[in-house]
């Protein structure tokens, strides 16, 4: 198998990531950062050399996760002890590892290999893969996923997207994939050299609507032929697997496309924010895929898929908004102007109070929608409402975070300018607000 | 080799504590609690000994309120095998040491690892007292621990250098900050921790009297920093340093 230089660089990096970094001993120690300049930006090449997917054990029926047991009370937002412990662990990781690496990852427009290795140590992907396939998931847990997304984004949204990109694909495979698809791909998410994957929904056109796709799949006798352009796809130069949204007979569906497929080209295209997620364009030109590439059967629910993706962005917005709040409070209490802390000024105090109120509203509306999804109940309306408030208030909180720091907010010495740029992503990703 | 690790529930190190209005102690209402950082280092060291094949079983012990189960679960998620919680509130170091001795008599571990001190009371007493009560050797402020041939070599951080002591097992080791860097509990291990056994005990089960012997008279916050002043010249500065600050 011939490998292009980028593929070779990635493979080398992955090998290093799977050996020395994974040694439990030096978990929190800073490991010398790997640079892979060759993979940075602006190239147009074949995707990462594809791995050979081999089914560990062939499933007879697809694995599905059930809703957890019904809680005892009607309105209970307390999280379980396990969820709390997970939050503590993920929040510590986000604060101690992601936050200090945020600025550099933004400049590099990539997540470094040691951060990926440390994120893998947390075992996040185990929650997307059912027990029968080697994972740890015994029930559907969108609420836990949401808490994790929030806590990761508290450290850095760009890195959170980079870490969660593959997990989103694994979740979709667990929720809708056929037995063949699950057996083939899910175990690879748990390997030491974890499978990197990304979802490709967005397209380059004004008023993009996730339900009206210009990427088209044509049915052939032996499979499908895909044509189209996707944009803002995370991990563009590292993903080995893409979940591509394309229109099939006028209906939106998802197709599993390996990055090494003939006709797939990628180009890194950094945006204003969420830079560490290494987003870029994915172009599909006469890409031929097998019958097995169509995700799921008739029960596949594209709208639920889109809504979950959007709720993921809502959770990320809540985490970063919390970071803004926790940053501006001590700043405004310590920053003295006119002989007193600026928080004594009502214009400042009210602005901070509003961040707190709106962020909590964002969190509750997101939790409400996600909790319904976990129960397997309709959640489209709640997801839409959560998306509206998160898209709107995330931007406002980002702006106010910069504003509260005055001139400091504009500089790169404080992280609020990065959060401001990241928080603008929520309104853009996965289509505008069309019903 | 069986290893016993003691863990304590304390106010999270990120929390800015406030003195209670009646000056009886620190205000604990709605304050985030966590495992004492030195205890985390103790758990990590035990887990590393197990990963090296030196330790075979790790028992995590806590003395504290019922909620201290959370800290034992954290220890289990980090790699301890089972937990024991002695439910008792406001136990002072001597009481804790006596309870730990009773557990040591029962469990017969070859190594007991504790944090050098808890970040709430900063007492730095329990490990030393436990060693005295059980008659075991003690290696305090450990920055390196090596177990081999029925003994443990402990490198201790002392003023102006390092001291290495060799203790016959069983022994007590208390950890310093630089011994290791604890890992984050992985999510699958957090799920597994739920299934590991946790015994609930009370001081009465061991026949230990934990009545406090020391009474806290008053807790005061540090004095607030006063605003600085500008001096006109060096002469005034020297004068102030001599007569007001009395440092020269």
């Amino acid at each position: 198998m011939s490998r292009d230089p980028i593929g070779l660089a990635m493979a080398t990096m992955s090998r290093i990531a799977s050996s020395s970094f994974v040694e439990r001993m030096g978990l929190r120690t800073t490991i010398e950062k790997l640079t892979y300049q060759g993979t940075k930006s602006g190239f147009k090449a074949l995707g990462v050399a594809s791995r050979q997917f081999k089914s560990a054990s062939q499933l007879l029926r697809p694995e599905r996760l059930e809703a957890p047991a019904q809680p005892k009370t009607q309105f209970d937002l307390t999280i379980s002890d396990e969820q709390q412990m997970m939050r503590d662990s993920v929040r510590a990781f986000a604060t101690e590892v992601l936050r200090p690496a945020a600025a550099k990852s933004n400049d590099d427009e990539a997540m470094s290999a040691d951060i990926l290795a440390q994120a893998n140590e947390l075992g996040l992907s185990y929650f997307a893969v059912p027990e029968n396939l080697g994972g740890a998931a015994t029930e559907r847990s969108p609420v836990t996923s949401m808490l994790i997304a929030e806590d990761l984004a508290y450290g850095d949204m760009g890195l959170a997207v980079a870490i969660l990109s593959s997990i989103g694909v694994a979740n979709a495979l667990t929720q809708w994939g056929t037995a063949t698809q699950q057996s083939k791909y899910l175990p690879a998410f748990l390997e030491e050299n974890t499978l990197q994957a990304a979802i490709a929904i967005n397209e380059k056109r004004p008023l993009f609507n996730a339900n009206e796709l210009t990427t088209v799949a044509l049915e052939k006798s032996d499979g499908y032929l895909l044509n189209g352009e996707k944009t803002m796809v995370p991990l563009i130069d590292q993903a080995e697997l893409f979940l591509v949204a394309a229109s099939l007979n006028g209906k939106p569906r998802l197709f599993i496309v390996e990055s090494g497929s003939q006709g797939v080209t990628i180009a890194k295209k950094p945006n204003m924010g969420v830079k560490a997620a290494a987003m870029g364009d994915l172009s599909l030109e006469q890409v031929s895929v097998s019958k097995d590439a169509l995700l799921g059967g008739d029960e596949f629910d594209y709208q639920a898929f889109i809504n979950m993706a959007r709720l993921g962005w809502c959770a990320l917005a809540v985490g970063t908004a919390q970071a803004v709040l926790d940053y501006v409070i001590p700043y405004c209490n310590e920053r003295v102007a006119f002989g007193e802390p600026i928080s004594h000024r009502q214009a400042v105090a009210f602005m901070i109070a509003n961040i707190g109120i709106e962020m909590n509203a964002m969190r509750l509306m997101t939790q409400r929608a996600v909790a319904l999804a976990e129960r397997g109940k309709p959640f489209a309306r709640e997801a839409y409402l959560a998306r509206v408030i998160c898209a709107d208030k995330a931007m406002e909180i980002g702006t106010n975070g910069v504003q509260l720091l005055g001139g400091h907010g504009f500089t790169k010495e404080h992280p609020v300018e990065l959060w401001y740029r990241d928080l603008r992503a929520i309104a853009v990703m996965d289509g505008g607000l069309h019903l | 080799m069986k290893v016993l690790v003691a863990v304590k529930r304390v106010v999270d190190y990120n929390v800015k504590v406030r003195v209670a209005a009646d000056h009886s102690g620190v205000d604990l209402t709605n304050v985030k609690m966590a495992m004492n950082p030195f205890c985390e280092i103790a758990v990590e060291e035990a887990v590393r000994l197990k990963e090296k094949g030196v330790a075979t079983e790790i028992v995590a012990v806590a003395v504290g309120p019922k909620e201290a189960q959370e800290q034992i679960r954290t220890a289990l998620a980090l790699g301890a095998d089972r937990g024991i919680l002695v439910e008792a509130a406001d136990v002072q170091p001597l009481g804790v040491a006596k309870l730990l001795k009773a557990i040591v008599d029962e469990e017969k571990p070859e190594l007991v690892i504790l944090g050098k001190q808890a970040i709430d009371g900063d007492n730095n007493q329990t490990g030393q007292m436990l060693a005295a009560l059980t008659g075991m050797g003690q290696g305090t402020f450990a920055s390196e621990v090596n177990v081999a041939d029925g003994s443990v070599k402990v490198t201790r951080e002392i003023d102006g250098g390092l001291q290495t002591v060799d203790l016959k097992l069983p022994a007590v080791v208390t950890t310093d900050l630089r011994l290791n860097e604890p890992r984050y509990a992985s999510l699958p291990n957090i799920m597994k921790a739920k299934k590991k056994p946790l015994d609930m005990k009370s001081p009465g089960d061991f026949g230990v009297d934990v009545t406090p012997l020391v009474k806290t008279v008053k807790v005061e916050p540090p004095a607030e920093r006063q605003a600085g002043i500008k001096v006109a010249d060096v002469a005034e500065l020297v004068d102030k340093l001599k007569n007001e600050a009395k440092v020269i």
Side-chain angles (χ1 to χ4, degrees), chain A residues 3 30 100 178 185 217 252 255 273 303 335 342 348:
Chain A
R3 274 182 156 158
T30 322
T178 63
Y185 296 114
F255 292 85
Q303 202 53 53
R335 172 99 176 119
I342 57 170
V348 169

Side-chain angles (χ1 to χ4, degrees), chain A residues 244-385:
Chain A
V244 179
S247 171
L248 174 67
N249 302 325
K251 285 204 176 114
R253 291 295 300 248
L254 293 178
F255 292 85
I256 303 168
V257 178
E258 294 178 20
S259 62
S261 310
Q262 191 71 40
V264 172
T265 46
I266 56 164
K268 203 162 168 182
K269 291 273 172 71
N271 299 306
M272 174 186 182
V274 206
K275 289 188 166 192
M279 290 196 189
D281 294 350
L282 172 70
S283 140
L284 306 152
E285 212 183 321
Q286 302 283 48
V287 176
S288 177
V289 292
S290 73
K291 285 271 177 210
D292 274 337
L294 177 67
L295 181 76
D298 293 337
E299 81 288 359
F300 173 71
D301 185 346
Y302 182 76
Q303 202 53 53
F305 165 78
I306 290 289
N307 286 336
M308 281 314 291
R310 287 175 174 172
L311 286 172
W313 282 101
C314 291
L316 294 167
V318 173
T320 304
Q322 179 78 58
V324 172
L325 181 66
D326 290 354
Y327 198 84
V328 297
I329 290 175
Y331 180 89
C332 295
N333 280 333
E334 280 158 26
R335 172 99 176 119
V336 173
F338 314 109
E340 56 180 358
I342 57 170
S343 57
H344 289 191
R345 305 273 150 170
Q346 283 197 333
V348 169
F350 287 169
M351 200 181 263
I352 295 174
N354 285 338
I355 293 178
I357 294 164
E358 282 151 7
M359 180 202 64
N360 271 294
M362 285 159 63
R363 179 181 286 131
L364 283 171
M365 289 177 77
T366 306
Q367 274 182 357
R368 166 89 179 129
V370 174
L372 285 169
E374 181 159 301
R375 295 264 146 247
K377 299 210 165 116
F379 66 104
R381 178 176 168 275
E382 285 73 12
Y384 185 80
L385 297 180

Side-chain angles (χ1 to χ4, degrees), chain B residues 5-208:
Chain B
V5 185
V7 296
K8 185 175 182 186
R9 177 185 174 85
V10 298
V11 174
D12 188 273
Y13 72 95
N14 286 313
V15 173
K16 249 189 185 166
V17 290
R18 287 197 185 132
V19 172
D22 62 356
H23 292 274
S24 62
V26 167
D27 190 358
L28 291 181
T29 41
N30 291 328
V31 168
K32 183 171 160 45
M33 306 294 278
M35 189 193 290
N36 177 36
F38 291 108
C39 300
E40 262 184 44
I41 294 171
V43 173
E44 176 68 28
E45 195 61 23
V47 174
R48 290 184 187 187
L49 284 173
K50 195 173 172 195
E51 283 168 354
K52 276 189 231 161
V54 177
T56 50
E57 191 189 19
I58 303 167
V59 185
V61 185
V63 177
K66 199 165 168 222
E67 293 77 30
Q69 281 186 59
E70 292 165 18
Q71 281 61 50
I72 293 188
R73 290 274 174 227
T74 305
L76 296 176
L78 291 169
D81 296 294
R82 61 191 172 89
I84 301 170
L85 172 62
V86 184
E87 208 183 320
D90 301 324
V91 185
Q92 292 180 346
L94 183 59
V96 176
K98 284 178 181 169
L99 285 168
L100 289 178
K101 177 191 183 294
I103 292 169
V104 166
D105 290 345
E106 228 176 77
E107 296 280 343
K108 305 209 171 4
E110 282 190 81
L111 191 62
V112 184
I113 312 180
L114 305 89
K116 68 168 180 178
Q117 66 194 58
I119 59 167
D120 51 358
D122 278 345
N123 288 315
N124 185 354
Q125 294 170 347
T126 309
Q128 291 88 327
M129 285 173 171
L130 174 67
L133 289 171
T134 54
M136 294 195 271
Q138 57 176 292
T140 50
F141 312 108
S143 65
E144 205 183 324
V145 174
N146 280 307
V147 181
D149 308 326
S151 74
V152 54
K153 274 200 172 62
V154 179
T155 304
R156 310 179 57 231
E157 297 202 346
I158 55 173
D159 286 348
L162 297 171
Q163 178 193 50
T164 304
V165 293
D166 195 358
L167 311 168
K168 197 161 76 72
L169 294 176
V172 176
V173 171
T174 73
T175 61
D176 211 327
L177 202 62
R178 278 160 290 274
L179 178 57
N180 60 48
E181 285 189 66
R183 70 195 65 192
Y184 301 104
S186 83
L187 275 51
N189 284 343
I190 290 172
M191 296 300 283
K192 279 184 212 149
K194 192 160 58 168
K195 292 172 190 148
K196 291 181 178 174
L198 200 171
D199 282 345
M200 299 291 285
K201 299 274 191 187
S202 73
D205 295 343
F206 302 103
V208 173

Side-chain angles (χ1 to χ4, degrees), chain A residues 14-321:
Chain A
S14 313
R15 251 200 309 284
I16 296 167
S18 61
S19 58
S20 55
F21 293 119
V22 180
E23 271 180 23
R24 309 222 61 139
M25 306 299 288
L27 192 61
R28 279 192 210 178
T29 45
T30 322
I31 306 160
E32 239 179 85
K33 298 240 177 7
L34 277 172
T35 49
Y36 38 100
Q37 294 294 328
T39 67
K40 273 192 78 177
S41 62
F43 66 89
K44 200 146 169 110
L46 265 184
V48 177
S50 59
R51 73 169 76 202
Q52 294 296 310
F53 294 102
K54 47 186 186 296
S55 306
S57 60
Q58 177 61 44
L59 292 174
L60 294 174
R61 279 184 298 117
E63 285 287 325
R64 297 279 181 251
L65 301 173
E66 298 298 320
Q70 191 77 25
K72 287 192 187 65
T73 55
Q74 285 293 312
F75 192 76
D76 186 358
L77 291 176
T78 48
I79 59 177
S80 72
D81 290 350
E82 280 74 36
Q83 284 173 325
Q84 186 59 53
M85 279 171 73
M86 287 176 199
R87 288 204 80 164
D88 290 347
S89 201
V90 175
R91 180 65 80 94
F93 171 74
T95 317
E96 293 161 19
V97 178
L98 299 188
R99 181 77 63 86
K104 186 171 188 306
S105 307
N106 172 73
D107 296 345
D108 293 350
E109 289 155 4
M111 171 169 66
S112 69
D114 64 316
I115 290 182
L116 174 64
Q118 292 191 57
N120 285 341
E121 283 286 339
L122 284 174
L124 298 172
S125 45
Y126 280 78
F127 276 84
V129 180
E131 267 185 330
N132 271 4
L133 286 162
T138 53
E139 56 188 27
R140 270 204 307 270
S141 53
V143 174
T144 307
S145 305
M146 190 216 131
L147 297 171
I148 290 169
E150 183 188 324
D151 284 328
L152 287 174
Y154 185 77
D156 180 58
M157 191 188 286
L159 290 170
V161 172
I163 291 167
L164 293 172
S165 172
S166 311
I167 293 163
V169 175
N171 274 326
L173 280 165
T174 300
Q175 194 163 359
W176 291 293
T178 63
T180 314
Q181 289 163 348
Q182 291 190 345
S183 308
K184 188 174 177 187
Y185 296 114
L186 283 176
F189 288 97
L190 306 176
E191 283 171 19
E192 270 201 354
N193 164 20
T194 49
L195 171 58
Q196 297 290 321
I199 294 172
I201 302 173
N202 300 288
E203 292 176 354
K204 273 188 209 171
R205 62 199 164 88
L207 294 174
F208 168 67
N209 179 342
N211 286 310
E212 288 164 19
L213 301 165
T214 53
T215 303
V216 177
L218 276 180
E219 199 159 1
K220 297 186 301 172
S221 57
D222 59 340
Y224 303 93
L225 201 61
L226 300 174
N227 275 296
E229 292 269 351
K230 293 290 176 185
T231 191
M232 294 195 279
V233 181
L235 300 182
I236 190 72
D237 51 359
Q238 296 178 44
E240 299 163 73
L241 201 67
F242 294 104
L243 213 47
V244 179
S247 171
L248 174 67
N249 302 325
K251 285 204 176 114
R253 291 295 300 248
L254 293 178
F255 292 85
I256 303 168
V257 178
E258 294 178 20
S259 62
S261 310
Q262 191 71 40
V264 172
T265 46
I266 56 164
K268 203 162 168 182
K269 291 273 172 71
N271 299 306
M272 174 186 182
V274 206
K275 289 188 166 192
M279 290 196 189
D281 294 350
L282 172 70
S283 140
L284 306 152
E285 212 183 321
Q286 302 283 48
V287 176
S288 177
V289 292
S290 73
K291 285 271 177 210
D292 274 337
L294 177 67
L295 181 76
D298 293 337
E299 81 288 359
F300 173 71
D301 185 346
Y302 182 76
Q303 202 53 53
F305 165 78
I306 290 289
N307 286 336
M308 281 314 291
R310 287 175 174 172
L311 286 172
W313 282 101
C314 291
L316 294 167
V318 173
T320 304

